[in-house]
Amino acid sequence: MIPKSHPRYESLKTRELIVSGVKKGITSVHGLIAHGRGEAFDYLLGEKTSDFAKKSVDSAAALLLLAKNPVISVNGNVAALVPKELAKLSSILNAPLEINIFHQSRSRELGIKKYLIKHGAENVLLPDKKYKIKFLESNRKYVTSEGILQADVVFVPLEDGDRTEALIKNGKKVITIDLNPLSRTAQKATIAIVDNITRAILLLINQIQKFKKLKLAKKQLKVIYEHHDNQKRLKIAIKLIRRL
Ligand code: PTJ
């Protein structure tokens, strides 16, 4: 057990979630490496949500509310880190959670589905080999007809870059959460939130709920979304990391 008084309690607790995800058969062993990369960037970003990330969250919330068919893509790391929050996001957006993993494993897909349902998810889709998106060779090309195939906006946290590019080429808008502002995913996404998913997803949920409560018109949401300049925000993140 990690003592609460440990100076790196939050970080170690999050690491434990990934390790336990691997043990449960939800997260791939490669996910440990991906998590380590994330930890390093989080350290450089001060392990807190920056103002520029909060602004990206606002734009992402607006875009998700503007979407006709939003879909939330789930991999093994995301499922292990924030299963309850994914269920909540799916419910407030009325959007399916679509399992889409890079390291092919049917048992892991089924395990993720079970885990999400255990944490309150009601709409979970498994990839269907009958349906593919174009411009992608990896296992992540397989989608569902009612989910990613017909989505206009796809939320793909902790992504690998080639799929972001492929989704964009397939005519979709992509929102990601990625701690690495230099990653291809962050660079190619419509909106990249440079923050830890464990913090940013809660902010995203709160912001969507706030916009819904305010009953913002489409025109107002559009202004918030269009205010986003992805390259500009990424440059600010890189500057912060370089301490410029
Ligand atoms: O479950 P699978 O098979 O789909 O595999 C999932 C992983 C994440 C292993 C796979 O997609 C992968 O290899 O991803 P990459 O290419 O390593 O990219 C992961 C990105 O997420 C990197 O840019 C990390 O910096 C970033 N990252 C890692 N942990 C976090 C994060 N970003 C936000 N919050 C985190 N907690």
Side-chain angles (χ1 to χ4, degrees):
M1 213 188 72
I2 306 155
K4 274 207 164 151
S5 58
H6 194 290
R8 303 210 45 77
Y9 176 74
E10 281 303 325
S11 175
L12 293 175
K13 209 179 65 177
T14 310
R15 192 183 283 185
E16 269 310 302
L17 288 175
I18 289 288
V19 171
S20 129
V22 174
K23 287 183 185 157
K24 286 190 183 94
I26 291 167
T27 310
S28 117
V29 284
H30 311 83
L32 297 169
I33 300 167
H35 185 77
R37 289 211 290 163
E39 273 188 0
F41 279 100
D42 206 12
Y43 198 84
L44 292 170
L45 288 161
E47 293 175 317
K48 60 175 200 268
T49 306
S50 307
D51 286 345
F52 60 80
K54 286 184 192 153
K55 287 185 186 149
S56 305
V57 166
D58 291 356
S59 314
L63 180 57
L64 284 166
L65 286 172
L66 282 167
K68 283 197 185 78
N69 296 305
V71 175
I72 302 156
S73 177
V74 180
N75 67 22
N77 281 51
V78 173
L81 291 176
V82 287
K84 261 200 292 188
E85 292 81 357
L86 289 169
K88 176 89 184 170
L89 190 62
S90 164
S91 140
I92 61 171
L93 286 171
N94 195 19
L97 296 167
E98 181 162 327
I99 296 160
N100 186 285
I101 60 177
F102 179 74
H103 304 96
Q104 193 172 0
S105 157
R106 194 61 179 170
S107 81
R108 209 153 56 80
E109 286 170 357
L110 294 169
I112 294 172
K113 179 171 180 173
K114 223 168 128 187
Y115 196 61
L116 291 173
I117 289 171
K118 187 176 149 197
H119 285 85
E122 286 178 357
N123 190 357
V124 186
L125 304 173
L126 284 167
D128 182 340
K129 294 234 157 114
K130 284 205 294 286
Y131 302 101
K132 286 191 250 182
I133 55 163
K134 289 183 274 179
F135 313 113
L136 195 62
E137 291 300 319
S138 74
N139 185 55
R140 300 193 90 166
K141 65 177 175 275
Y142 298 118
V143 293
T144 66
S145 58
E146 67 271 48
I148 289 175
L149 195 66
Q150 50 95 51
D152 52 345
V153 177
V154 192
F155 176 50
V156 281
L158 275 74
E159 170 63 351
D160 30 66
D162 57 341
R163 191 167 68 125
T164 301
E165 273 186 292
L167 287 168
I168 299 265
K169 280 195 205 161
N170 278 270
K172 298 164 195 315
K173 293 197 166 71
V174 174
I175 299 170
T176 192
I177 298 179
D178 192 328
L179 279 159
N180 179 2
L182 296 163
S183 78
R184 212 144 43 94
T185 303
Q187 295 284 339
K188 298 285 176 188
T190 314
I191 299 176
I193 302 166
V194 180
D195 194 17
N196 199 316
I197 188 159
T198 55
R199 296 186 296 265
I201 197 162
L202 293 169
L203 296 178
L204 186 61
I205 290 168
N206 287 343
Q207 205 55 15
I208 291 168
Q209 285 178 321
K210 192 171 137 198
F211 287 163
K212 279 178 113 176
K213 216 166 151 192
L214 289 169
K215 294 197 168 63
L216 292 191
K218 276 198 173 161
K219 234 164 90 183
Q220 290 167 293
L221 290 170
K222 234 174 147 209
V223 171
I224 300 168
Y225 157 57
E226 282 170 359
H227 184 65
H228 183 81
D229 179 337
N230 207 47
Q231 281 305 320
K232 199 170 132 196
R233 297 257 163 86
L234 294 176
K235 280 192 186 123
I236 300 171
I238 294 164
K239 263 185 148 181
L240 172 64
I241 289 172
R242 296 177 69 198
R243 302 290 183 269
L244 288 175

